Amino acid sequence: LTCTMARGRNNNRTSHGDGGGAIHSANMAINKENDFKEGVKKLQNRATMTAELLTEGGEIETFLMEADPDNAEGFLLAQRNRLKAIAEGNAKQWDEIENFVQAVKDVRGDVQRQNQSGAAAGGEGEAAAAGADEAPDYERSIQEAVEKVRLGKESDPNHVPLEEHEMVMSLREKLGEKVKKRARNDDDDDLEIVNNVGSDDVHALKCPITGMFFEDPVRNKVCGHTYDRKGLNQLFSTRKTKCPIPGCSNNTLSLGQVEVDDEMKLKVRRHKTREEAAKKKRDLDETMDDDEEGGGYTVLE
């Protein structure tokens, strides 16, 4: 990633003698932050969905314990530990992306301030930069800035260690572990989050606005609640901006807060599949019962 901005130093000696090449490259890197994070989100979503399948007391655990009780426990433990390791890796990569983007912003600010200083000095600084034999080493500057950002975060009293990162804690919850969330001394304490998703609750598979099963679910990144996009648009058409979940204190609901909820899509699809299978079984049982009542024979006269 550091190469994105570092390449800009070569441009400084051509058409961007004032550091404009580096600033342009920095802006490109900063604007790609969401693209960088998208890959991590996809990996985390897959890990979370797999964790839900391997949850304690779930169908897979029950089946394995009955089919192979001698090896099931060790197998499940290994897979769950592997999922937690994946979540920690995703959390680490997420933090590294944020550190990098912040570092690029800091270096960009330094370059802009140097340009302003050169302009204030009557262009002497600009001329010196243009005539220098060596271009600024922005790659090194970014690496040093990344380290500075990282150390600054780690020294923050509110710093959350990797094993307590939201991605890790969320995955552990899906595995059925009891986790105690860390209290923080920031504004997030003012936001009370009320869960509206339960593993066995059919109501949790329905939009709190429309009351229908989710078709295009989106999750609120601020309060964690899920709505159907159609229902959300209905809510906005009435000019309401409060989260519709009772007890939630999110009063600034907006489209910018939501993202596609792939996990909920999977839950709804699995529920409907189970319902269809159960219906087929009931129909089959009824057919067999009818056959038994008639003795299984058709009497011809």
Side-chain angles (χ1 to χ4, degrees):
L1 297 178
T2 55
C3 294
T4 305
M5 182 177 176
R7 282 196 299 269
R9 65 184 174 190
N10 296 325
N11 296 334
N12 291 342
R13 307 180 75 174
T14 55
S15 60
H16 298 285
D18 59 351
I23 293 175
H24 175 71
S25 297
N27 290 337
M28 290 179 61
I30 293 168
N31 292 336
K32 285 183 175 293
E33 179 178 4
N34 289 334
D35 293 338
F36 298 149
K37 288 182 173 180
E38 189 61 31
V40 181
K41 284 182 181 179
K42 289 181 179 179
L43 288 174
Q44 183 64 17
N45 283 339
R46 291 171 186 167
T48 301
M49 288 187 286
T50 304
E52 188 176 45
L53 293 174
L54 295 175
T55 187
E56 294 182 10
E59 294 179 7
I60 290 182
E61 181 180 278
T62 301
F63 169 76
L64 290 176
M65 293 300 289
E66 292 177 354
D68 188 7
D70 294 334
N71 300 309
E73 187 173 351
F75 171 79
L76 289 169
L77 179 61
Q79 300 310 311
R80 288 164 179 163
N81 287 338
R82 185 175 182 183
L83 284 173
K84 286 187 278 189
I86 290 174
E88 287 189 9
N90 290 338
K92 181 179 180 181
Q93 190 173 359
W94 187 275
D95 287 347
E96 287 175 348
I97 291 172
E98 292 190 336
N99 292 349
F100 167 75
V101 171
Q102 184 57 53
V104 171
K105 289 179 180 179
D106 292 344
V107 173
R108 181 186 62 178
D110 291 340
V111 174
Q112 291 172 332
R113 283 188 290 273
Q114 289 173 3
N115 291 344
Q116 292 172 357
S117 298
E124 293 180 4
E126 187 174 319
D133 292 334
E134 295 184 3
D137 190 349
Y138 292 121
E139 186 170 356
R140 180 178 177 181
S141 298
I142 293 172
Q143 291 173 348
E144 292 175 349
V146 167
E147 184 66 11
K148 182 178 179 181
V149 171
R150 183 184 67 80
L151 293 175
K153 284 187 175 181
E154 291 180 355
S155 62
D156 188 334
N158 291 322
H159 173 67
V160 178
L162 194 62
E163 61 273 15
E164 295 182 21
H165 192 282
E166 181 182 354
M167 288 184 174
V168 179
M169 301 296 276
S170 175
L171 184 131
R172 289 179 58 192
E173 286 182 338
K174 295 300 180 184
L175 287 173
E177 296 184 11
K178 293 182 179 180
V179 296
K180 185 177 181 180
K181 295 190 175 180
R182 179 188 180 97
R184 299 189 300 171
N185 299 321
D186 55 21
D187 294 338
D188 287 347
D189 289 340
D190 297 330
L191 180 63
E192 183 181 0
I193 298 176
V194 183
N195 292 326
N196 71 326
V197 175
S199 57
D200 298 320
D201 186 2
V202 176
H203 295 291
L205 304 179
K206 297 181 179 181
C207 174
I209 303 171
T210 66
M212 306 296 290
F213 279 109
F214 288 111
E215 295 181 0
D216 185 11
V218 290
R219 179 180 178 276
N220 195 310
K221 294 178 285 187
V222 174
C223 61
H225 296 134
T226 300
Y227 334 95
D228 196 90
R229 193 179 296 275
K230 185 183 294 185
L232 197 58
N233 289 333
Q234 290 178 7
L235 186 70
F236 289 148
S237 67
T238 64
R239 300 185 182 279
K240 293 182 179 179
T241 59
K242 177 176 173 56
C243 177
I245 302 301
C248 182
S249 58
N250 182 3
N251 297 315
T252 58
L253 184 62
S254 68
L255 284 175
Q257 291 182 358
V258 302
E259 61 185 0
V260 175
D261 193 338
D262 291 323
E263 183 183 346
M264 183 58 73
K265 283 184 180 179
L266 179 63
K267 285 183 177 181
V268 174
R269 186 163 64 248
R270 282 209 308 261
H271 172 75
K272 290 184 175 180
T273 300
R274 286 196 297 266
E275 287 293 298
E276 291 175 2
K279 183 178 182 302
K280 289 180 180 179
K281 185 177 184 303
R282 287 196 300 270
D283 292 342
L284 180 60
D285 290 343
E286 290 175 3
T287 301
M288 293 178 66
D289 290 341
D290 291 341
D291 289 342
E292 289 176 0
E293 289 176 3
Y297 298 97
T298 300
V299 179
L300 299 177
E301 297 182 356

